[in-house]
């Protein structure tokens, strides 16, 4: 029965009108693809700050520096849609706190991770209920952090880690065909950022850990020229999927530099038969893992500095 006391919305989803570009020629639209200005082993700058949410036991905010093409598009826009996006996310840690009486006895700390996209985080609007991709990110994040936290020091306790993604990485450039580049490459960058931010928030909550864990991403890229010819696959660190026409495979790792251990690894794509070149005798899988570890080492330097600032701020408050 229809509710007559209010105006009901449409029964199906509606999409607002989007004016994709103000350019009048297709060649101008094709030139709007962002181009990588960094070296293959050069990482984007990371902004990481802890202690931004006073109500939480620990918190962290992470943001990637936008690419040069995105910064130029924002300064002198030729299209209403930016060429690519930059990762922005916030992490909160609540606990350790006692488990409810209805819960079963646990001699170790019960870790719970919750990853949720904001409705406006991606080009395709997300719903309020977590979908399969968000649940997968939560499982990967829990696996990465479970090998870091010293869980036996908090029996019968729980730790809740919540990550809100304010802006996510794109899976492809918006000008590409929908079925040409739809693999979830952007999710791998999101997972690497979640791992780094969660490690900073856990350290800000003063929870004992074996080491700081950082996330890193590497990908094998074979970009096509304007004539459609594919180039030799190259190993790229910290890739932005919108900057490349063809990504063959990618890898994300959660790495602890002090212990030289990997707590989580996620490989996507087929890189077993990829030949990098005559000078590199490594297989595609080995090159991807080594590149992701190198990217994680670079993110660890920012993570260690943010944790050091958090410790100094905590020591200053304790003396007061």
């Amino acid at each position: 029965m229809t509710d007559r006391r209010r105006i009901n919305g449409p029964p199906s989803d509606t999409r607002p009108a989007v004016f994709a570009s103000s350019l009048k020629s297709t060649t101008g639209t094709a030139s709007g693809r962002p181009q990588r200005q960094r070296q293959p082993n050069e990482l984007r700058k990371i902004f990481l700050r802890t202690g931004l949410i006073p109500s939480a036991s620990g918190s962290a905010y992470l943001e990637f520096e936008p690419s040069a093409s995105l910064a130029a598009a924002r300064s002198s826009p030729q299209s209403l849609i930016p060429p690519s996006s930059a990762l922005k996310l916030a992490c909160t840690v609540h606990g350790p706190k006692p488990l409810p009486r209805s819960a079963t006895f646990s001699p170790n700390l019960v870790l719970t991770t919750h990853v949720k996209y904001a409705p406006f985080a991606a080009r395709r609007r997300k719903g309020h209920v977590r979908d399969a991709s968000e649940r997968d990110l939560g499982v990967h994040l829990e696996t990465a952090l479970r090998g870091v936290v010293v869980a036996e020091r908090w029996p019968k306790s729980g730790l809740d880690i919540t990550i809100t993604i304010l802006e996510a990485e794109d899976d492809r450039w918006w000008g590409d065909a929908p079925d040409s580049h739809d693999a979830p490459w952007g999710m791998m960058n999101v997972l690497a950022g979640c791992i780094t931010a969660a490690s900073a928030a856990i350290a800000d909550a003063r929870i004992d850990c074996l080491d700081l864990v950082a996330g890193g991403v590497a990908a094998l890229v074979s970009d096509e020229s304007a004539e459609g010819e594919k180039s030799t696959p190259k190993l790229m660190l910290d890739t932005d999927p919108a900057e490349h026409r063809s990504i063959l495979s990618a890898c994300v790792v959660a790495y602890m530099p002090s212990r030289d251990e990997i707590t989580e690894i996620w490989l996507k794509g087929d890189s077993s038969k990829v030949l990098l070149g005559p000078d590199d005798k490594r297989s595609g899988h080995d090159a991807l893992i080594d590149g992701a570890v190198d990217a994680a080492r670079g993110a660890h330097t920012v993570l260690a500095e943010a944790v050091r600032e958090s410790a100094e701020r905590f020591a200053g408050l304790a003396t007061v």
Side-chain angles (χ1 to χ4, degrees):
M1 183 177 180
T2 305
D3 189 357
R4 300 179 181 274
R5 294 173 295 179
R6 66 190 71 186
I7 300 176
N8 296 322
S12 59
D13 297 337
T14 58
R15 293 185 179 181
V18 176
F19 300 92
S21 177
S22 59
L23 300 175
K24 298 182 179 180
S25 62
T26 57
T27 58
T29 304
S31 64
R33 175 189 294 274
Q35 300 294 328
R36 184 182 176 107
Q37 305 296 331
R38 299 172 284 122
Q39 297 298 324
N41 58 349
E42 184 180 355
L43 308 179
R44 288 175 289 183
K45 294 182 180 180
I46 301 175
F47 175 81
L48 182 60
R49 184 70 180 273
T50 60
L52 298 181
I53 303 176
S55 60
S57 302
S59 61
Y61 173 78
L62 182 139
E63 180 177 343
F64 281 3
E65 180 190 34
S67 60
S69 57
L70 179 56
R74 288 176 176 175
S75 60
S76 58
Q78 294 181 343
S79 171
L80 297 177
I81 299 179
S84 62
S85 60
L87 181 64
K88 300 180 181 67
L89 57 89
C91 177
T92 58
V93 173
H94 296 275
K97 56 186 179 181
L99 292 175
R101 293 188 177 183
S102 59
T104 58
F105 173 78
S106 175
N108 298 325
L109 180 70
V110 178
L111 183 64
T112 304
T113 57
H114 188 281
V115 180
K116 185 70 182 73
Y117 284 82
F120 49 83
R123 298 191 188 275
R124 180 175 295 178
R125 190 173 180 87
K126 293 284 186 176
H128 295 285
V129 180
R130 288 198 305 168
D131 56 9
S133 62
E134 294 168 335
R135 290 191 293 269
D136 289 343
L137 287 175
V139 172
H140 283 292
L141 179 61
E142 181 181 353
T143 306
L145 299 177
R146 191 176 295 277
V148 179
V149 179
V150 185
E152 59 269 15
R153 295 191 180 180
W154 289 277
K156 300 183 294 183
S157 301
L159 184 67
D160 296 335
I161 300 176
T162 303
I163 292 183
T164 302
I165 302 170
L166 305 175
E167 185 175 352
E169 291 276 348
D170 294 328
D171 294 331
R172 59 181 175 85
W173 182 50
W174 63 269
D176 289 334
D179 57 347
S180 63
H181 200 165
D182 271 353
W185 306 116
M187 283 180 57
M188 311 191 86
N189 291 337
V190 170
L191 177 60
C194 290
I195 294 171
T196 305
S199 180
I202 291 174
D204 186 56
R206 307 297 179 264
I207 298 174
D208 295 341
C209 298
L210 299 176
D211 191 11
L212 295 175
V213 59
V217 179
L220 291 175
V221 178
S222 177
D223 290 337
E224 297 179 356
S225 61
E227 291 78 12
E229 299 179 356
K230 290 187 177 181
S231 60
T232 305
K234 298 180 181 179
L235 180 65
M236 297 286 183
L237 306 186
D238 190 18
T239 55
D240 184 357
E243 295 177 347
H244 305 286
R245 293 179 180 270
S246 176
I247 298 179
L248 302 179
S249 58
C251 174
V252 56
V253 297
Y255 181 68
M256 295 189 296
S258 299
R259 301 173 63 91
D260 194 20
E261 294 182 5
I262 294 176
T263 60
E264 171 67 5
I265 183 171
W266 181 17
L267 278 165
K268 186 172 183 61
D270 186 11
S271 58
S272 58
K273 300 180 181 179
V274 175
L275 299 177
L276 298 178
D279 299 334
D280 197 342
K281 301 300 182 181
R282 296 177 298 176
S283 64
H285 291 327
D286 294 339
L288 276 176
I289 295 174
D290 294 342
V293 168
D294 292 339
R297 286 197 182 100
H300 181 268
T301 58
V302 181
L303 175 60
E305 184 66 21
V307 172
R308 185 185 64 83
E309 293 178 357
S310 174
E312 292 178 352
R313 184 171 60 253
F314 181 79
L317 294 176
T319 55
V320 174

